[in-house]
Amino acid sequence: MKLITAIVKPFKVDDVKSALKEAGVVGLTVTEVKGVGRQGGHTETYRGTEYQVDLVPKVKLEVVVDDPVVDTAVDLIVAAAASGKIGDGKVWVTPVEAVVRIRTGEQGVDAI
Amino acid sequence: MKLITAIVKPFKVDDVKSALKEAGVVGLTVTEVKGVGRQGGHTETYRGTEYQVDLVPKVKLEVVVDDPVVDTAVDLIVAAAASGKIGDGKVWVTPVEAVVRIRTGEQGVDAI
Amino acid sequence: MKLITAIVKPFKVDDVKSALKEAGVVGLTVTEVKGVGRQGGHTETYRGTEYQVDLVPKVKLEVVVDDPVVDTAVDLIVAAAASGKIGDGKVWVTPVEAVVRIRTGEQGVDAI
Amino acid sequence: MRRRLITGAVVAGGLLLILGSPAGAQEYEPTTQDILDNLWVFIAGILVLFMQAGFALVEAGLTRGKNVANIMMKNLMDCMAGVLAFFLIGFTIAYGPDGNDIFGLGGWFLADQPYEGGLTLHTNFFFQVAFAATAATIVSGAMAERTKFKSYFLYSFVITALIYPMVVRWTWGGGWLGADEDGTGKVLSVPFSDFAGSTIVHSVGGWAALMGALILGPRLGKYTKDGKPRAILGHSIPLVLLGTLILFIGWFGFNPGSELAADLLVQDIAVVTLLSAAAGGLTGMATIWIRSGKPDVGMTCNGVLAGLVSITAGCGALYNWAGILVGAIGGVLVVFSVEFFEKVVKVDDPVGAISVHGVCGAWGTLAIGLFAAKDDAFLGREDAGLFYGGGFDQLVTQAVMVLAVFVFVTVTTGALFLAIKYTIGLRVTPEEELEGLDVLEHGSPGYAGDTLSGLGMDELTASMSTKELDRLVGEKAEA
Amino acid sequence: MRRRLITGAVVAGGLLLILGSPAGAQEYEPTTQDILDNLWVFIAGILVLFMQAGFALVEAGLTRGKNVANIMMKNLMDCMAGVLAFFLIGFTIAYGPDGNDIFGLGGWFLADQPYEGGLTLHTNFFFQVAFAATAATIVSGAMAERTKFKSYFLYSFVITALIYPMVVRWTWGGGWLGADEDGTGKVLSVPFSDFAGSTIVHSVGGWAALMGALILGPRLGKYTKDGKPRAILGHSIPLVLLGTLILFIGWFGFNPGSELAADLLVQDIAVVTLLSAAAGGLTGMATIWIRSGKPDVGMTCNGVLAGLVSITAGCGALYNWAGILVGAIGGVLVVFSVEFFEKVVKVDDPVGAISVHGVCGAWGTLAIGLFAAKDDAFLGREDAGLFYGGGFDQLVTQAVMVLAVFVFVTVTTGALFLAIKYTIGLRVTPEEELEGLDVLEHGSPGYAGDTLSGLGMDELTASMSTKELDRLVGEKAEA
Amino acid sequence: MRRRLITGAVVAGGLLLILGSPAGAQEYEPTTQDILDNLWVFIAGILVLFMQAGFALVEAGLTRGKNVANIMMKNLMDCMAGVLAFFLIGFTIAYGPDGNDIFGLGGWFLADQPYEGGLTLHTNFFFQVAFAATAATIVSGAMAERTKFKSYFLYSFVITALIYPMVVRWTWGGGWLGADEDGTGKVLSVPFSDFAGSTIVHSVGGWAALMGALILGPRLGKYTKDGKPRAILGHSIPLVLLGTLILFIGWFGFNPGSELAADLLVQDIAVVTLLSAAAGGLTGMATIWIRSGKPDVGMTCNGVLAGLVSITAGCGALYNWAGILVGAIGGVLVVFSVEFFEKVVKVDDPVGAISVHGVCGAWGTLAIGLFAAKDDAFLGREDAGLFYGGGFDQLVTQAVMVLAVFVFVTVTTGALFLAIKYTIGLRVTPEEELEGLDVLEHGSPGYAGDTLSGLGMDELTASMSTKELDRLVGEKAEA
Ligand SMILES: Nc1ncnc2c1ncn2[C@@H]1O[C@H](COP(=O)(O)OP(=O)(O)O)[C@@H](O)[C@H]1O
Ligand SMILES: Nc1ncnc2c1ncn2[C@@H]1O[C@H](COP(=O)(O)OP(=O)(O)O)[C@@H](O)[C@H]1O
Ligand SMILES: Nc1ncnc2c1ncn2[C@@H]1O[C@H](COP(=O)(O)OP(=O)(O)O)[C@@H](O)[C@H]1O
């Protein structure tokens, strides 16, 4: 199993969620985060004093999926989240050694 | 070392924390997140217009533990977080290659 | 590639960000979290009733970097985030199997 | 001295008005002083209505964010329901020309009456209904975060229609606690005094709050297995503070408006009210500071309110120094009382309503028996207080009043809450309580984040007709 | 009866004042009653200005957090710009001594006039400008979350300078909808009645809001591809509720102050206003409860406001029971109207301004034709309502008024918004809309978190001079 | 003309009252006009007290969320402490019948006095104490986010007990800056004019704020190593905007109430105040828009307040057009002044209190020397302003007043803050400043999240007695 982590633009969350759902991936966890990257920030002023807005609001999605689904899921996320504009975000995949469903104690693929 | 990530119901956080403490695991990091899964959502109305509440508030706990503790810790978390109702959450385990305690620069198991 | 996760004190975020930038690591994602650890909490009172403040505000930084950069990056983070006081936080490193830049579909190191 | 007597006269006049006057009587032409009297009492009534916002904010701030819309909605709707309940039923029970010393009847629905000077029926109603709404709304705080909306709504209708008006009947309405024609008490040796309602308004609310909180039980998690209270932090101190300041402002309608006339005593009443509030705030802060090591903000706000409630009865009878003393004692009292109810009685009152309104209301009423010096038109004499040589008579009357209202309110509201509990239910389910009342009782959260209600870009642009997209593009060109 | 007629007299008096009086006339010494009249109307004006805070809060609460500073800033600045616009231009157009039944001229900039009793020019201006600011600010809510700040600012200047004053001219200003010397209508068979401005103030705002929202188009994501509306949750119900209570309080200046004199009718007006608000709140809540299964908080607030807007025209002419009925119908109406505009017309009005102010304003104005019983000085007769045997005349006049204002406002504001759109642009770019107007239009977010603006420790200590560090250390030693 | 003179008369009358009248004098029966005078000044005082909420909100909004309870608590408690301080000491120093032109004595604790018309002692006290509380509370904003609570508390007691009252003594209290019997200045050629306290109230607060912020030093991180200021964003613009609107409303008590009588000038004062506020808001917005490219919301609010402070001195003496000009200049001034103190003087004033109250207060006071046309009872003559041919005399007097108050306040508050600093300490530790003052000074955060104070289910159900669980179950069955 793998953990797919995606950083996407906030208004893309629904699109990604629907795309994954169509591929049968229902469970996921989202977090409000802020990101820095190539997108850079912009300079604003507050009461006449300049400051950098370099942390842009993003949403992080975490999805644990079974190995065979990983590639499809990543592709779907990338397709759904892309707007072609800078700051669209990243997806990365990390290995997962064990998963448990708390309610039932089921393990592994059954737990997803 | 492993990173145990647990998504639990918000009001279970204290139970999980105490359970881990009793097992000697003190350090952990918590994040407020929202989750989608089998629990599904419910339909509510706002000013007469229906909408889906499909993101349920959850809490994510991250704990880095030494390999021998992993199984106990996971079991404890599962035991403490389970209410038997849908939406109890997941626990997953990922490998950690290095840990450093920032204050001292200690590495590995000492850093936990 | 690796994912470096750092839990640091909130007012250290800017220092860490600058330190990484100087080392050429620009992209990162930050999350507001709370932590428990050796730092412990303190007892406060609210309307005459005591309670424990055991969750201390922290910030989590996540940075995906190419393997050769990992050690430098960790060192830089540790150096920038350390104040020598208890509660300075942790850094841990986990393996990443794939990265995609959503905008372009670039993969691997190019995607960082 | 003229005006001092007017307070009593107006109440009687109100009844007269409702009783009507002989047909064919000359129409009374109001003087500018009449108009001023009415205008001032009306403005004071607006200030008292503004207190609804203060209560809503204090209660919202001292409870959790997941229930914020629910608690504020309760405050809004007990006011709206209360207005109609008091119009339809309550005002007659309180001030109806027929009926007896316990229960008024007649003069329903503000039936038009010839005007004979003093306050008009509508002025009187406006001011009184604002008070009724205050008594009702006090309760919501103590029952916060776990009471069903519809059950609370029902309760608030009954208290404004029946329970509060009966207490008013007994007192301001000329009932059994009041004075006979000869100035002695109807039943007791001397008549009661409660100028602006420490007991009549605040204690009524406070004791109803006590019964409500008792019958509901504590919020989930408020007490540990071994009965130790746990702190459940209020989610927004700014709301508490703003609410306290609004209540403070509103009180300058509540107390000085209870003069029921525009005269030069109005400002005397205002000054003693101000001093008592300040004293209560300071001693409340000092007490919690000493007891817990830090000046708790919410408790200090309770202290200010305690000072205000404590002086509400005696604001027409007490000298400034006595006002300061009474407020200061109120500020100390409220801290110990909150602790007592939380730790000993183990009633869960998230905002301290029982202590602020019930306990300090009782204290303020009794204080008249000790410190009354001026004649507030209810007392009918100067130097009625024990410390001014007035003997124990007044203190006894005040104590009887406090007790009578305590018994009456606890019994009737107790019965009411139990009746609700065993019919439509009083408390939300544990699931609802955990998830929060806002979404489950009202359909949406009190605070909704922007981000996670984010919508997909496809959807966003899909919502645009071609014409609209053209427009957007047109504008973009400009931008 | 004296006072009832004064309302008309004051309006005429205002014109007289502006026209000036023959030179050399004896200076009029104001009586205490004169002073009281002026003082009350002034205090009422303060209450009406306070409604600006209510509007700002309700609109802020019902929209998203990323636009909160922008919407509140719009409320603040339409008031500030409106004050100057009305001073420079609007007041003359509305009440100028020259000009005609459609458009006033002369008496610019509050040129000083001899005083001859009644309201002074400044009292009159103060009260009227508060009303003008109200009409203007209603619009911001319907256009929230997507309108350019500078474009809104421009609009608000024009509506307060020109559009609203013209409607006032036609009506309160003695224009074509008003009464002839003989008491019949100038143009119509009977003169209009709109005591405090259901149509003149609220519908003007509501119809302008309709045009604004129509021309702007819906917020991104408000409608799905197939035209189904989506819920975009307001970010803070506490703000909505506080705002509603402030508006409720302000209305006791709005309606009773429109008596334009201190007399004993003021409180009658207040009571019917209070009852109507309560009825609107209850039926609004009941209607949404039945339709969607839960008592929505924001919609209930809309119900209270609907009750208030509905009684604004008839508060001087309706008995209490009719006030309750009119408010109750307003409360039902607003829920269906919101649904109608959202689901059928598909106009995106995040706060319900069109329904609350436009639709209920029209309803309240028409209700006079049905229920008018008392003479509010505009009607010039008792029992003017259809149900009181007054025939259809009044209803026809009211309908003509509603229609005339609807057509005039939709055409003029429509032209205005289109003109703005095709010159400086009306709507922000989609990018800006997505990111939020606060940062992009004003430079900083409405809500800034502490944590992530955290600064590095090096920087923190670096900012301290040696002297300062010494100081800190000195204190630390003490601490 | 009668009323215009009353302002002076009342002040003198106040002293007379305190001096007492010959024993055996006939008791004066108040007229309705007397009662109206008192009532209006009392209502105005309530509006001024309401400004405490405005200050608390503006300051809370422009600072960080981790210090929100602390700053609001400071605002509450400086008011409460100030009330008692002014009652015990300050009122006598300001208005005591004994003493001299610099320092008043006698008539302690509002000792009862025979009434001889005009304002009663209590009315006077109520209005004056509200002003005293205003002067004190201005300071908290400039010292926000780093001042120890107890130290601030001590300061606020001293300023209301001693420093502010002395400035009042010199001026309104009939001291050395005022007029002789013959209408010329006691010390200067012409007497000062400061109708509602641009200098006496606002500059006193502003200069005290300056010294406080200077002696405290900037917040950690406010300046970079090389002394460049950094933006530390206010955490809640909605609070700032609501606060500004509340202050705006309160000012219609502040300025028109300073007439100290109910007459027809009250509304003239109100209108010029309104126009100046609007002008200040517009020019403040325009200035920051031009200088930084965007209309900053907080700065625009500062502009509105600058307009209000600027007209506070001259509201009785200036024509409307001059009021607009003075307010407009105030709005420009405040933006440059904020920049000057932030970038040149490098004083860290998070809310702009020094600029709004100190600088614009001085400007408003000087403006009288330029634009005074009407006699505001202080001037004693018409056309006193330079531009009205009054010569330089008035301008000189105004400048002397501004300077005298500046020197006196900076020296005394400077000494006070230094004394506090070297005894109990003025500033919290850096650790406390980083973590936030709410938890560490008061025991709990201003904003507490629900989720993470979540409790375990075991604990939750454990708190339920069997009876309670039964009850819950009973209800669930129903639900
Ligand atoms: N190396 C990284 N590690 C973790 N998160 C990253 C990294 N680089 C970028 N991100 C996240 O992805 C977001 C988008 O990245 P950015 O470089 O701005 O745009 P793009 O991916 O289109 O080139 C950032 O805001 C940040 O949250
Ligand atoms: N595949 C997944 N990846 C990441 N998080 C998941 C996944 N599935 C579920 N979750 C998280 O676990 C929570 C509970 O899952 P859910 O399916 O609703 O209940 P249960 O685990 O009891 O079957 C979800 O709200 C979500 O936060
Ligand atoms: N085992 C762990 N797993 C995950 N996070 C941890 C762990 N231990 C500590 N942390 C995080 O690091 C923070 C600092 O740890 P703490 O033990 O308090 O101080 P220190 O690292 O200086 O010894 C904690 O608040 C928590 O967020």
Side-chain angles (χ1 to χ4, degrees), chain B residues 8-15 17 30-34 56-61, chain C residues 34 54-55, chain D residues 63-67 145 232-235 433-436 447, chain F residues 447-456 460:
Chain B
V8 304
K9 288 188 170 167
F11 64 87
K12 284 293 191 182
V13 174
D14 279 1
D15 286 353
K17 239 166 48 188
V30 298
T31 318
E32 298 192 35
V33 300
K34 302 207 168 181
V56 188
K58 301 276 170 197
V59 170
K60 176 163 84 171
L61 297 112
Chain C
K34 302 206 168 183
D54 61 358
L55 287 168
Chain D
T63 52
R64 282 167 294 180
K66 64 184 176 182
N67 301 317
E145 309 204 70
I232 300 184
L233 272 58
H235 86 284
E433 195 175 334
L434 287 175
E435 188 163 337
Y447 300 108
Chain F
Y447 300 108
D450 296 353
T451 311
L452 293 183
S453 62
L455 300 153
L460 292 178

Side-chain angles (χ1 to χ4, degrees), chain C residues 10-15 30 32 59, chain E residues 451-452 454-460:
Chain C
F11 64 85
K12 283 294 191 181
V13 174
D14 279 2
D15 286 352
V30 298
E32 299 192 35
V59 171
Chain E
T451 311
L452 293 183
L455 300 154
M457 189 46 126
D458 289 353
E459 294 283 0
L460 292 178

Side-chain angles (χ1 to χ4, degrees), chain A residues 7 35-36 38-39 58 87-88 90, chain C residues 27 29 62 64 101 103:
Chain A
I7 311 290
V36 208
R38 301 208 181 166
Q39 191 180 353
K58 302 278 170 196
D88 272 353
K90 315 272 170 204
Chain C
T29 300
E62 287 168 299
V64 178
R101 182 191 306 280
R103 173 163 48 95

Side-chain angles (χ1 to χ4, degrees), chain A residues 19 32-33 60 64 72 77-78 81 88 94-95 97-99 111:
Chain A
E32 298 193 36
V33 299
K60 176 163 84 171
V64 178
T72 337
I77 292 172
V78 169
D88 272 353
T94 47
E97 303 184 346
V99 185

Side-chain angles (χ1 to χ4, degrees), chain A residues 10-15 30-32 57-59 83 85, chain D residues 448-460 476:
Chain A
F11 64 87
K12 283 294 190 181
V13 174
D14 280 2
D15 287 352
V30 299
T31 317
E32 298 193 36
K58 302 278 170 196
V59 171
S83 73
K85 300 231 181 75
Chain D
D450 297 352
T451 312
L452 292 183
S453 63
L455 300 153
M457 189 46 126
D458 289 353
E459 295 282 0
L460 293 178
K476 248 192 285 193

Side-chain angles (χ1 to χ4, degrees), chain E residues 177-261:
Chain E
L177 280 160
D180 239 328
E181 281 91 64
D182 63 359
T184 64
K186 281 188 175 175
V187 171
L188 303 162
S189 67
V190 294
F192 84 99
S193 165
D194 186 1
F195 194 80
S198 277
T199 283
I200 302 171
V201 179
H202 293 282
S203 283
V204 166
W207 304 142
L210 172 62
M211 294 315 290
L214 260 178
I215 292 171
L216 263 179
R219 287 168 293 173
L220 291 177
K222 177 64 196 171
Y223 292 96
T224 59
K225 275 181 250 231
D226 35 300
K228 260 188 54 194
R230 280 193 292 207
I232 301 183
L233 272 58
H235 87 284
S236 177
I237 299 300
L239 296 187
V240 178
L241 236 137
L242 177 59
T244 301
L245 282 168
I246 288 176
L247 286 169
F248 170 70
I249 289 303
W251 235 284
F252 295 110
F254 205 94
N255 286 6
S258 292
E259 175 71 1
L260 299 180

